[in-house]
Amino acid sequence: MIDKLEFFLALARERHFGRAAEECGVTQPTLSAAIRQLEDQLGVMLVNRGSRFQGLTPEGQRVLEWARRIVGDARTMREEMRAARKGLSGHIRLAAIPTTLSMVPMITAPFQEKHPDVTFSVLSTTSLQILALLENLEVDAGLTYLENEPLGRVTSVPLQIEQYHLVTAAGTPLSDRASVTWKEVSDIRLCLLTADMQNRRIINQHFAEAGAAPSPTLESNSMIVLFSHVRTGRWASIMPYNVAKSFGFNEDIRMIPIVDPDVRHTVGLVATYREPFTPLVSALLHEARILGEQNAAQ
């Protein structure tokens, strides 16, 4: 039953029998047969079928909720028993919004020092995708904003407060200022994150509060792309101070606080609420709390 539910979760994610079978490491006939057997066991149709996958039935949507819960519990049980036998080991899958990527080593480095048999993979993605990945059991935790948009049923640990700065090359407009307003920043050549990023939605909101409507001439979902364009001296950007500082800008780059309004937003670690947590997620949340307390004390 657990294996069949795993197949069903993969099909719901991929919405394609072939891709789901490839993800699960089985043939398409094997996966299709398992889904039909699951339907026979439950006595309902789970999948609308035609020449291709056409979505889940209403019963399938309800079973999907149960499958996530049951498979999640089964994985937790297996991890707990493995930890009891061998100590903490395994693989942690993290997803992070671009503005938190520089924070990831602050968690992974001390974690792996304590638990050297644990490995990590880190995805850069949007805040909305992080919630979907958590719901579908595709990642173990995410780094994202905590208070700006609904998070759903998650456990969250505050890590850091973002304070927005204009990041621009020396000798460019506004670069000699001690502070700037959102209205002033809207009038210069900007490169910003793409509109699907929550950081961009927050920035747009604060521009609107200041009665401004900027038109960035370059957009990207990568902070590195933004940094490299700021270095040319032809663009400026808006970034959280801690993110800009992590790239080690030299004296040729200015980081100027943006005021009127002076706004701050909390970012942190989120994980799907579950009791008990897997040993890996429990240890990860513990490490995040240590980091959050250290940052709060600074």
Side-chain angles (χ1 to χ4, degrees):
M1 174 66 81
I2 298 297
D3 289 342
K4 292 169 188 172
L5 291 175
E6 290 268 19
F7 291 166
F8 181 62
L9 285 176
L11 180 60
R13 283 195 301 268
E14 296 294 334
R15 303 184 64 80
H16 187 279
F17 280 93
R19 290 195 299 268
E22 183 178 354
E23 180 187 325
C24 295
V26 299
T27 64
Q28 183 171 332
T30 298
L31 183 134
S32 296
I35 299 298
R36 289 194 181 279
Q37 290 168 10
L38 184 60
E39 290 176 324
D40 291 341
Q41 285 179 276
L42 298 175
V44 294
M45 293 293 292
L46 303 177
V47 179
N48 291 314
R49 294 176 179 84
S51 58
R52 62 185 64 187
F53 179 85
Q54 296 180 352
L56 301 181
T57 65
E59 294 81 5
Q61 290 288 349
R62 183 63 181 139
V63 170
L64 179 60
E65 296 176 22
W66 279 103
R68 288 168 176 157
R69 188 182 313 175
I70 293 167
V71 169
D73 286 344
R75 291 180 183 177
T76 301
M77 179 183 65
R78 286 195 294 265
E79 279 195 28
E80 195 169 303
M81 294 306 100
R82 183 177 63 206
R85 294 193 317 271
K86 302 179 179 179
L88 203 61
S89 63
H91 186 75
I92 294 178
R93 302 158 301 169
L94 291 175
I97 57 175
T99 57
T100 65
L101 287 171
S102 62
M103 198 184 308
V104 173
M106 300 177 191
I107 298 176
T108 55
F111 187 101
Q112 199 167 56
E113 185 175 347
K114 296 173 185 175
H115 310 289
D117 293 329
V118 175
T119 59
F120 289 89
S121 58
V122 182
L123 300 175
S124 175
T125 186
T126 70
S127 56
L128 294 177
Q129 288 171 329
I130 287 174
L131 299 182
L133 291 168
L134 284 171
E135 185 179 43
N136 290 326
L137 308 179
E138 294 179 83
V139 296
D140 301 295
L143 280 79
T144 186
Y145 292 97
L146 297 187
E147 83 287 274
N148 191 59
E149 295 179 358
L151 290 173
R153 196 165 183 261
V154 299
T155 295
S156 61
V157 178
L159 295 177
Q160 198 162 264
I161 295 177
E162 285 190 349
Q163 181 182 9
Y164 294 103
H165 281 57
L166 173 68
V167 181
T168 189
T172 57
L174 306 179
S175 64
D176 60 344
R177 299 280 295 278
S179 65
V180 292
T181 68
W182 288 91
K183 179 69 173 175
E184 290 170 325
V185 171
S186 70
D187 294 327
I188 63 176
R189 182 193 296 260
L190 290 173
C191 57
L192 299 173
L193 286 174
T194 50
D196 59 333
M197 296 292 176
Q198 189 173 171
N199 169 270
R200 177 63 182 280
R201 294 195 291 274
I202 289 173
I203 286 173
N204 287 347
Q205 172 190 333
H206 295 315
F207 274 126
E209 291 168 353
S215 298
T217 58
L218 185 142
E219 298 176 316
S220 174
N221 63 358
S222 166
M223 296 301 294
I224 293 177
V225 171
L226 300 186
F227 280 121
S228 63
H229 281 81
V230 168
R231 286 188 182 278
T232 69
R234 292 184 56 81
W235 282 270
S237 190
I238 299 169
M239 302 176 184
Y241 176 77
N242 291 300
V243 176
K245 185 175 67 172
S246 71
F247 273 75
F249 279 144
N250 55 32
E251 295 179 356
D252 293 334
I253 301 296
R254 303 283 189 265
M255 293 182 286
I256 306 164
I258 305 176
V259 297
D260 191 24
D262 180 2
V263 292
R264 297 160 194 253
H265 295 274
T266 303
V267 294
L269 185 82
V270 295
T272 302
Y273 180 80
R274 181 180 299 281
E275 285 293 344
F277 290 106
T278 68
L280 286 174
V281 171
S282 181
L284 187 70
L285 290 169
H286 175 71
E287 203 62 50
R289 292 186 185 100
I290 293 174
L291 176 60
E293 290 168 2
Q294 291 172 344
N295 287 336
Q298 291 177 355

PDB file of all heavy atoms in Angstrom, residues 154-188:
ATOM      1  N   VAL A 154       2.332  25.081   8.620  1.00  0.00           N
ATOM      2  CA  VAL A 154       3.754  24.791   8.695  1.00  0.00           C
ATOM      3  C   VAL A 154       4.285  25.165  10.072  1.00  0.00           C
ATOM      4  O   VAL A 154       3.670  25.934  10.810  1.00  0.00           O
ATOM      5  CB  VAL A 154       4.561  25.569   7.624  1.00  0.00           C
ATOM      6  CG1 VAL A 154       4.120  25.202   6.221  1.00  0.00           C
ATOM      7  CG2 VAL A 154       4.467  27.076   7.846  1.00  0.00           C
ATOM      8  N   THR A 155       5.428  24.613  10.401  1.00  0.00           N
ATOM      9  CA  THR A 155       6.202  25.049  11.558  1.00  0.00           C
ATOM     10  C   THR A 155       7.248  26.028  11.046  1.00  0.00           C
ATOM     11  O   THR A 155       7.912  25.755  10.043  1.00  0.00           O
ATOM     12  CB  THR A 155       6.890  23.860  12.237  1.00  0.00           C
ATOM     13  OG1 THR A 155       5.896  22.994  12.768  1.00  0.00           O
ATOM     14  CG2 THR A 155       7.809  24.324  13.356  1.00  0.00           C
ATOM     15  N   SER A 156       7.387  27.171  11.691  1.00  0.00           N
ATOM     16  CA  SER A 156       8.322  28.185  11.205  1.00  0.00           C
ATOM     17  C   SER A 156       9.273  28.618  12.310  1.00  0.00           C
ATOM     18  O   SER A 156       8.915  28.647  13.488  1.00  0.00           O
ATOM     19  CB  SER A 156       7.568  29.404  10.666  1.00  0.00           C
ATOM     20  OG  SER A 156       6.794  30.010  11.687  1.00  0.00           O
ATOM     21  N   VAL A 157      10.489  28.944  11.907  1.00  0.00           N
ATOM     22  CA  VAL A 157      11.518  29.430  12.825  1.00  0.00           C
ATOM     23  C   VAL A 157      12.077  30.730  12.259  1.00  0.00           C
ATOM     24  O   VAL A 157      12.710  30.712  11.191  1.00  0.00           O
ATOM     25  CB  VAL A 157      12.661  28.411  12.997  1.00  0.00           C
ATOM     26  CG1 VAL A 157      13.735  28.972  13.933  1.00  0.00           C
ATOM     27  CG2 VAL A 157      12.143  27.079  13.517  1.00  0.00           C
ATOM     28  N   PRO A 158      11.866  31.881  12.890  1.00  0.00           N
ATOM     29  CA  PRO A 158      12.432  33.142  12.385  1.00  0.00           C
ATOM     30  C   PRO A 158      13.960  33.087  12.404  1.00  0.00           C
ATOM     31  O   PRO A 158      14.566  32.620  13.381  1.00  0.00           O
ATOM     32  CB  PRO A 158      11.907  34.192  13.374  1.00  0.00           C
ATOM     33  CG  PRO A 158      10.745  33.536  14.057  1.00  0.00           C
ATOM     34  CD  PRO A 158      11.055  32.078  14.105  1.00  0.00           C
ATOM     35  N   LEU A 159      14.574  33.555  11.328  1.00  0.00           N
ATOM     36  CA  LEU A 159      16.030  33.529  11.234  1.00  0.00           C
ATOM     37  C   LEU A 159      16.634  34.925  11.174  1.00  0.00           C
ATOM     38  O   LEU A 159      17.651  35.187  11.816  1.00  0.00           O
ATOM     39  CB  LEU A 159      16.467  32.753   9.985  1.00  0.00           C
ATOM     40  CG  LEU A 159      16.146  31.261   9.952  1.00  0.00           C
ATOM     41  CD1 LEU A 159      16.570  30.662   8.620  1.00  0.00           C
ATOM     42  CD2 LEU A 159      16.839  30.536  11.108  1.00  0.00           C
ATOM     43  N   GLN A 160      16.025  35.820  10.416  1.00  0.00           N
ATOM     44  CA  GLN A 160      16.665  37.108  10.159  1.00  0.00           C
ATOM     45  C   GLN A 160      15.624  38.124   9.706  1.00  0.00           C
ATOM     46  O   GLN A 160      14.593  37.748   9.134  1.00  0.00           O
ATOM     47  CB  GLN A 160      17.712  36.928   9.055  1.00  0.00           C
ATOM     48  CG  GLN A 160      18.745  38.015   8.957  1.00  0.00           C
ATOM     49  CD  GLN A 160      19.947  37.543   8.160  1.00  0.00           C
ATOM     50  OE1 GLN A 160      20.940  37.094   8.705  1.00  0.00           O
ATOM     51  NE2 GLN A 160      19.844  37.616   6.858  1.00  0.00           N
ATOM     52  N   ILE A 161      15.901  39.387   9.957  1.00  0.00           N
ATOM     53  CA  ILE A 161      15.014  40.465   9.509  1.00  0.00           C
ATOM     54  C   ILE A 161      15.671  41.192   8.344  1.00  0.00           C
ATOM     55  O   ILE A 161      16.820  41.635   8.451  1.00  0.00           O
ATOM     56  CB  ILE A 161      14.704  41.441  10.647  1.00  0.00           C
ATOM     57  CG1 ILE A 161      13.913  40.722  11.747  1.00  0.00           C
ATOM     58  CG2 ILE A 161      13.912  42.643  10.130  1.00  0.00           C
ATOM     59  CD1 ILE A 161      13.616  41.578  12.952  1.00  0.00           C
ATOM     60  N   GLU A 162      14.968  41.266   7.216  1.00  0.00           N
ATOM     61  CA  GLU A 162      15.481  41.956   6.042  1.00  0.00           C
ATOM     62  C   GLU A 162      15.258  43.461   6.155  1.00  0.00           C
ATOM     63  O   GLU A 162      14.175  43.912   6.520  1.00  0.00           O
ATOM     64  CB  GLU A 162      14.774  41.463   4.772  1.00  0.00           C
ATOM     65  CG  GLU A 162      15.203  40.097   4.304  1.00  0.00           C
ATOM     66  CD  GLU A 162      14.648  39.771   2.928  1.00  0.00           C
ATOM     67  OE1 GLU A 162      13.772  40.508   2.440  1.00  0.00           O
ATOM     68  OE2 GLU A 162      15.108  38.790   2.342  1.00  0.00           O
ATOM     69  N   GLN A 163      16.285  44.215   5.833  1.00  0.00           N
ATOM     70  CA  GLN A 163      16.186  45.670   5.742  1.00  0.00           C
ATOM     71  C   GLN A 163      16.670  46.062   4.349  1.00  0.00           C
ATOM     72  O   GLN A 163      17.781  45.709   3.946  1.00  0.00           O
ATOM     73  CB  GLN A 163      17.052  46.338   6.808  1.00  0.00           C
ATOM     74  CG  GLN A 163      16.986  47.853   6.787  1.00  0.00           C
ATOM     75  CD  GLN A 163      17.909  48.478   7.828  1.00  0.00           C
ATOM     76  OE1 GLN A 163      18.713  47.776   8.438  1.00  0.00           O
ATOM     77  NE2 GLN A 163      17.787  49.783   8.016  1.00  0.00           N
ATOM     78  N   TYR A 164      15.849  46.776   3.603  1.00  0.00           N
ATOM     79  CA  TYR A 164      16.138  47.008   2.185  1.00  0.00           C
ATOM     80  C   TYR A 164      17.089  48.182   1.957  1.00  0.00           C
ATOM     81  O   TYR A 164      16.965  49.236   2.589  1.00  0.00           O
ATOM     82  CB  TYR A 164      14.845  47.212   1.408  1.00  0.00           C
ATOM     83  CG  TYR A 164      14.021  45.954   1.399  1.00  0.00           C
ATOM     84  CD1 TYR A 164      12.905  45.808   2.213  1.00  0.00           C
ATOM     85  CD2 TYR A 164      14.400  44.879   0.611  1.00  0.00           C
ATOM     86  CE1 TYR A 164      12.181  44.639   2.229  1.00  0.00           C
ATOM     87  CE2 TYR A 164      13.684  43.705   0.620  1.00  0.00           C
ATOM     88  CZ  TYR A 164      12.570  43.585   1.436  1.00  0.00           C
ATOM     89  OH  TYR A 164      11.863  42.415   1.464  1.00  0.00           O
ATOM     90  N   HIS A 165      18.030  47.952   1.026  1.00  0.00           N
ATOM     91  CA  HIS A 165      19.026  48.959   0.675  1.00  0.00           C
ATOM     92  C   HIS A 165      19.083  49.127  -0.841  1.00  0.00           C
ATOM     93  O   HIS A 165      18.863  48.166  -1.589  1.00  0.00           O
ATOM     94  CB  HIS A 165      20.415  48.545   1.165  1.00  0.00           C
ATOM     95  CG  HIS A 165      20.637  48.788   2.633  1.00  0.00           C
ATOM     96  ND1 HIS A 165      19.836  48.250   3.616  1.00  0.00           N
ATOM     97  CD2 HIS A 165      21.585  49.532   3.280  1.00  0.00           C
ATOM     98  CE1 HIS A 165      20.277  48.638   4.803  1.00  0.00           C
ATOM     99  NE2 HIS A 165      21.333  49.415   4.622  1.00  0.00           N
ATOM    100  N   LEU A 166      19.397  50.334  -1.253  1.00  0.00           N
ATOM    101  CA  LEU A 166      19.759  50.571  -2.642  1.00  0.00           C
ATOM    102  C   LEU A 166      21.214  50.140  -2.806  1.00  0.00           C
ATOM    103  O   LEU A 166      22.086  50.579  -2.054  1.00  0.00           O
ATOM    104  CB  LEU A 166      19.603  52.054  -2.984  1.00  0.00           C
ATOM    105  CG  LEU A 166      20.113  52.469  -4.368  1.00  0.00           C
ATOM    106  CD1 LEU A 166      19.254  51.861  -5.465  1.00  0.00           C
ATOM    107  CD2 LEU A 166      20.155  53.996  -4.484  1.00  0.00           C
ATOM    108  N   VAL A 167      21.471  49.267  -3.768  1.00  0.00           N
ATOM    109  CA  VAL A 167      22.828  48.791  -4.039  1.00  0.00           C
ATOM    110  C   VAL A 167      23.233  49.347  -5.396  1.00  0.00           C
ATOM    111  O   VAL A 167      22.617  49.028  -6.420  1.00  0.00           O
ATOM    112  CB  VAL A 167      22.886  47.250  -4.034  1.00  0.00           C
ATOM    113  CG1 VAL A 167      24.314  46.763  -4.286  1.00  0.00           C
ATOM    114  CG2 VAL A 167      22.369  46.708  -2.710  1.00  0.00           C
ATOM    115  N   THR A 168      24.256  50.186  -5.392  1.00  0.00           N
ATOM    116  CA  THR A 168      24.624  50.886  -6.623  1.00  0.00           C
ATOM    117  C   THR A 168      26.118  51.181  -6.639  1.00  0.00           C
ATOM    118  O   THR A 168      26.767  51.204  -5.584  1.00  0.00           O
ATOM    119  CB  THR A 168      23.808  52.200  -6.751  1.00  0.00           C
ATOM    120  OG1 THR A 168      24.009  52.763  -8.027  1.00  0.00           O
ATOM    121  CG2 THR A 168      24.182  53.195  -5.668  1.00  0.00           C
ATOM    122  N   ALA A 169      26.673  51.387  -7.811  1.00  0.00           N
ATOM    123  CA  ALA A 169      28.097  51.670  -7.943  1.00  0.00           C
ATOM    124  C   ALA A 169      28.394  53.114  -7.548  1.00  0.00           C
ATOM    125  O   ALA A 169      27.549  54.005  -7.690  1.00  0.00           O
ATOM    126  CB  ALA A 169      28.553  51.407  -9.378  1.00  0.00           C
ATOM    127  N   ALA A 170      29.604  53.338  -7.041  1.00  0.00           N
ATOM    128  CA  ALA A 170      30.033  54.695  -6.708  1.00  0.00           C
ATOM    129  C   ALA A 170      30.010  55.560  -7.963  1.00  0.00           C
ATOM    130  O   ALA A 170      30.308  55.106  -9.064  1.00  0.00           O
ATOM    131  CB  ALA A 170      31.439  54.659  -6.115  1.00  0.00           C
ATOM    132  N   GLY A 171      29.610  56.833  -7.776  1.00  0.00           N
ATOM    133  CA  GLY A 171      29.584  57.757  -8.894  1.00  0.00           C
ATOM    134  C   GLY A 171      28.306  57.732  -9.706  1.00  0.00           C
ATOM    135  O   GLY A 171      28.164  58.465 -10.679  1.00  0.00           O
ATOM    136  N   THR A 172      27.343  56.897  -9.310  1.00  0.00           N
ATOM    137  CA  THR A 172      26.060  56.829 -10.003  1.00  0.00           C
ATOM    138  C   THR A 172      25.031  57.660  -9.230  1.00  0.00           C
ATOM    139  O   THR A 172      25.279  58.068  -8.093  1.00  0.00           O
ATOM    140  CB  THR A 172      25.580  55.369 -10.116  1.00  0.00           C
ATOM    141  OG1 THR A 172      25.506  54.793  -8.794  1.00  0.00           O
ATOM    142  CG2 THR A 172      26.550  54.543 -10.955  1.00  0.00           C
ATOM    143  N   PRO A 173      23.868  57.933  -9.832  1.00  0.00           N
ATOM    144  CA  PRO A 173      22.857  58.730  -9.137  1.00  0.00           C
ATOM    145  C   PRO A 173      22.512  58.158  -7.761  1.00  0.00           C
ATOM    146  O   PRO A 173      22.354  56.946  -7.610  1.00  0.00           O
ATOM    147  CB  PRO A 173      21.651  58.667 -10.083  1.00  0.00           C
ATOM    148  CG  PRO A 173      22.251  58.492 -11.435  1.00  0.00           C
ATOM    149  CD  PRO A 173      23.460  57.631 -11.222  1.00  0.00           C
ATOM    150  N   LEU A 174      22.472  59.019  -6.758  1.00  0.00           N
ATOM    151  CA  LEU A 174      22.119  58.711  -5.366  1.00  0.00           C
ATOM    152  C   LEU A 174      23.231  57.997  -4.595  1.00  0.00           C
ATOM    153  O   LEU A 174      23.071  57.725  -3.401  1.00  0.00           O
ATOM    154  CB  LEU A 174      20.834  57.867  -5.284  1.00  0.00           C
ATOM    155  CG  LEU A 174      19.589  58.409  -5.996  1.00  0.00           C
ATOM    156  CD1 LEU A 174      18.426  57.430  -5.839  1.00  0.00           C
ATOM    157  CD2 LEU A 174      19.202  59.769  -5.440  1.00  0.00           C
ATOM    158  N   SER A 175      24.366  57.682  -5.235  1.00  0.00           N
ATOM    159  CA  SER A 175      25.384  56.876  -4.560  1.00  0.00           C
ATOM    160  C   SER A 175      26.080  57.613  -3.420  1.00  0.00           C
ATOM    161  O   SER A 175      26.727  56.977  -2.580  1.00  0.00           O
ATOM    162  CB  SER A 175      26.434  56.402  -5.571  1.00  0.00           C
ATOM    163  OG  SER A 175      27.135  57.502  -6.135  1.00  0.00           O
ATOM    164  N   ASP A 176      25.967  58.944  -3.374  1.00  0.00           N
ATOM    165  CA  ASP A 176      26.625  59.700  -2.314  1.00  0.00           C
ATOM    166  C   ASP A 176      25.692  60.005  -1.145  1.00  0.00           C
ATOM    167  O   ASP A 176      26.068  60.724  -0.217  1.00  0.00           O
ATOM    168  CB  ASP A 176      27.181  61.014  -2.879  1.00  0.00           C
ATOM    169  CG  ASP A 176      26.081  61.899  -3.489  1.00  0.00           C
ATOM    170  OD1 ASP A 176      24.968  61.364  -3.737  1.00  0.00           O
ATOM    171  OD2 ASP A 176      26.345  63.087  -3.721  1.00  0.00           O
ATOM    172  N   ARG A 177      24.512  59.447  -1.165  1.00  0.00           N
ATOM    173  CA  ARG A 177      23.503  59.750  -0.134  1.00  0.00           C
ATOM    174  C   ARG A 177      23.656  58.848   1.090  1.00  0.00           C
ATOM    175  O   ARG A 177      24.068  57.688   0.985  1.00  0.00           O
ATOM    176  CB  ARG A 177      22.117  59.575  -0.734  1.00  0.00           C
ATOM    177  CG  ARG A 177      21.825  60.503  -1.912  1.00  0.00           C
ATOM    178  CD  ARG A 177      21.445  61.889  -1.423  1.00  0.00           C
ATOM    179  NE  ARG A 177      20.196  61.818  -0.695  1.00  0.00           N
ATOM    180  CZ  ARG A 177      18.979  61.812  -1.273  1.00  0.00           C
ATOM    181  NH1 ARG A 177      18.874  61.919  -2.602  1.00  0.00           N
ATOM    182  NH2 ARG A 177      17.892  61.756  -0.554  1.00  0.00           N
ATOM    183  N   ALA A 178      23.266  59.356   2.265  1.00  0.00           N
ATOM    184  CA  ALA A 178      23.262  58.545   3.494  1.00  0.00           C
ATOM    185  C   ALA A 178      22.015  57.676   3.548  1.00  0.00           C
ATOM    186  O   ALA A 178      22.024  56.598   4.150  1.00  0.00           O
ATOM    187  CB  ALA A 178      23.328  59.451   4.714  1.00  0.00           C
ATOM    188  N   SER A 179      20.945  58.142   2.920  1.00  0.00           N
ATOM    189  CA  SER A 179      19.711  57.365   2.808  1.00  0.00           C
ATOM    190  C   SER A 179      18.951  57.882   1.600  1.00  0.00           C
ATOM    191  O   SER A 179      19.199  58.989   1.113  1.00  0.00           O
ATOM    192  CB  SER A 179      18.846  57.471   4.073  1.00  0.00           C
ATOM    193  OG  SER A 179      18.387  58.803   4.245  1.00  0.00           O
ATOM    194  N   VAL A 180      18.024  57.069   1.104  1.00  0.00           N
ATOM    195  CA  VAL A 180      17.206  57.460  -0.044  1.00  0.00           C
ATOM    196  C   VAL A 180      15.770  57.039   0.218  1.00  0.00           C
ATOM    197  O   VAL A 180      15.513  56.167   1.061  1.00  0.00           O
ATOM    198  CB  VAL A 180      17.710  56.809  -1.358  1.00  0.00           C
ATOM    199  CG1 VAL A 180      19.062  57.372  -1.746  1.00  0.00           C
ATOM    200  CG2 VAL A 180      17.779  55.293  -1.220  1.00  0.00           C
ATOM    201  N   THR A 181      14.843  57.640  -0.499  1.00  0.00           N
ATOM    202  CA  THR A 181      13.440  57.262  -0.353  1.00  0.00           C
ATOM    203  C   THR A 181      13.045  56.317  -1.486  1.00  0.00           C
ATOM    204  O   THR A 181      13.696  56.262  -2.530  1.00  0.00           O
ATOM    205  CB  THR A 181      12.530  58.499  -0.391  1.00  0.00           C
ATOM    206  OG1 THR A 181      12.569  59.062  -1.714  1.00  0.00           O
ATOM    207  CG2 THR A 181      12.979  59.539   0.628  1.00  0.00           C
ATOM    208  N   TRP A 182      11.951  55.590  -1.278  1.00  0.00           N
ATOM    209  CA  TRP A 182      11.442  54.707  -2.327  1.00  0.00           C
ATOM    210  C   TRP A 182      11.076  55.506  -3.573  1.00  0.00           C
ATOM    211  O   TRP A 182      11.283  55.054  -4.699  1.00  0.00           O
ATOM    212  CB  TRP A 182      10.227  53.937  -1.815  1.00  0.00           C
ATOM    213  CG  TRP A 182      10.597  52.882  -0.818  1.00  0.00           C
ATOM    214  CD1 TRP A 182      10.660  53.024   0.536  1.00  0.00           C
ATOM    215  CD2 TRP A 182      10.958  51.524  -1.105  1.00  0.00           C
ATOM    216  NE1 TRP A 182      11.052  51.838   1.105  1.00  0.00           N
ATOM    217  CE2 TRP A 182      11.236  50.906   0.136  1.00  0.00           C
ATOM    218  CE3 TRP A 182      11.073  50.776  -2.273  1.00  0.00           C
ATOM    219  CZ2 TRP A 182      11.616  49.563   0.227  1.00  0.00           C
ATOM    220  CZ3 TRP A 182      11.439  49.446  -2.187  1.00  0.00           C
ATOM    221  CH2 TRP A 182      11.723  48.850  -0.943  1.00  0.00           C
ATOM    222  N   LYS A 183      10.559  56.713  -3.366  1.00  0.00           N
ATOM    223  CA  LYS A 183      10.196  57.557  -4.502  1.00  0.00           C
ATOM    224  C   LYS A 183      11.423  57.912  -5.330  1.00  0.00           C
ATOM    225  O   LYS A 183      11.403  57.850  -6.565  1.00  0.00           O
ATOM    226  CB  LYS A 183       9.511  58.834  -3.989  1.00  0.00           C
ATOM    227  CG  LYS A 183       9.097  59.814  -5.077  1.00  0.00           C
ATOM    228  CD  LYS A 183       7.963  59.282  -5.912  1.00  0.00           C
ATOM    229  CE  LYS A 183       7.453  60.354  -6.867  1.00  0.00           C
ATOM    230  NZ  LYS A 183       6.418  59.812  -7.772  1.00  0.00           N
ATOM    231  N   GLU A 184      12.525  58.261  -4.663  1.00  0.00           N
ATOM    232  CA  GLU A 184      13.753  58.618  -5.379  1.00  0.00           C
ATOM    233  C   GLU A 184      14.316  57.419  -6.143  1.00  0.00           C
ATOM    234  O   GLU A 184      14.784  57.546  -7.270  1.00  0.00           O
ATOM    235  CB  GLU A 184      14.789  59.157  -4.395  1.00  0.00           C
ATOM    236  CG  GLU A 184      14.444  60.523  -3.816  1.00  0.00           C
ATOM    237  CD  GLU A 184      15.360  60.916  -2.684  1.00  0.00           C
ATOM    238  OE1 GLU A 184      15.782  60.025  -1.914  1.00  0.00           O
ATOM    239  OE2 GLU A 184      15.649  62.121  -2.559  1.00  0.00           O
ATOM    240  N   VAL A 185      14.263  56.250  -5.508  1.00  0.00           N
ATOM    241  CA  VAL A 185      14.825  55.048  -6.128  1.00  0.00           C
ATOM    242  C   VAL A 185      14.051  54.679  -7.392  1.00  0.00           C
ATOM    243  O   VAL A 185      14.607  54.123  -8.344  1.00  0.00           O
ATOM    244  CB  VAL A 185      14.828  53.879  -5.125  1.00  0.00           C
ATOM    245  CG1 VAL A 185      15.196  52.563  -5.797  1.00  0.00           C
ATOM    246  CG2 VAL A 185      15.800  54.169  -3.988  1.00  0.00           C
ATOM    247  N   SER A 186      12.767  54.997  -7.430  1.00  0.00           N
ATOM    248  CA  SER A 186      11.938  54.611  -8.579  1.00  0.00           C
ATOM    249  C   SER A 186      12.354  55.308  -9.862  1.00  0.00           C
ATOM    250  O   SER A 186      11.990  54.880 -10.956  1.00  0.00           O
ATOM    251  CB  SER A 186      10.464  54.909  -8.288  1.00  0.00           C
ATOM    252  OG  SER A 186      10.224  56.309  -8.253  1.00  0.00           O
ATOM    253  N   ASP A 187      13.126  56.404  -9.746  1.00  0.00           N
ATOM    254  CA  ASP A 187      13.475  57.199 -10.921  1.00  0.00           C
ATOM    255  C   ASP A 187      14.808  56.814 -11.550  1.00  0.00           C
ATOM    256  O   ASP A 187      15.219  57.435 -12.534  1.00  0.00           O
ATOM    257  CB  ASP A 187      13.515  58.688 -10.544  1.00  0.00           C
ATOM    258  CG  ASP A 187      12.146  59.220 -10.153  1.00  0.00           C
ATOM    259  OD1 ASP A 187      11.147  58.730 -10.716  1.00  0.00           O
ATOM    260  OD2 ASP A 187      12.081  60.101  -9.272  1.00  0.00           O
ATOM    261  N   ILE A 188      15.518  55.817 -11.008  1.00  0.00           N
ATOM    262  CA  ILE A 188      16.814  55.442 -11.578  1.00  0.00           C
ATOM    263  C   ILE A 188      16.711  54.093 -12.291  1.00  0.00           C
ATOM    264  O   ILE A 188      15.717  53.374 -12.159  1.00  0.00           O
ATOM    265  CB  ILE A 188      17.914  55.396 -10.492  1.00  0.00           C
ATOM    266  CG1 ILE A 188      17.604  54.324  -9.442  1.00  0.00           C
ATOM    267  CG2 ILE A 188      18.065  56.763  -9.837  1.00  0.00           C
ATOM    268  CD1 ILE A 188      18.684  54.172  -8.400  1.00  0.00           C
TER     269      ILE A 188
END
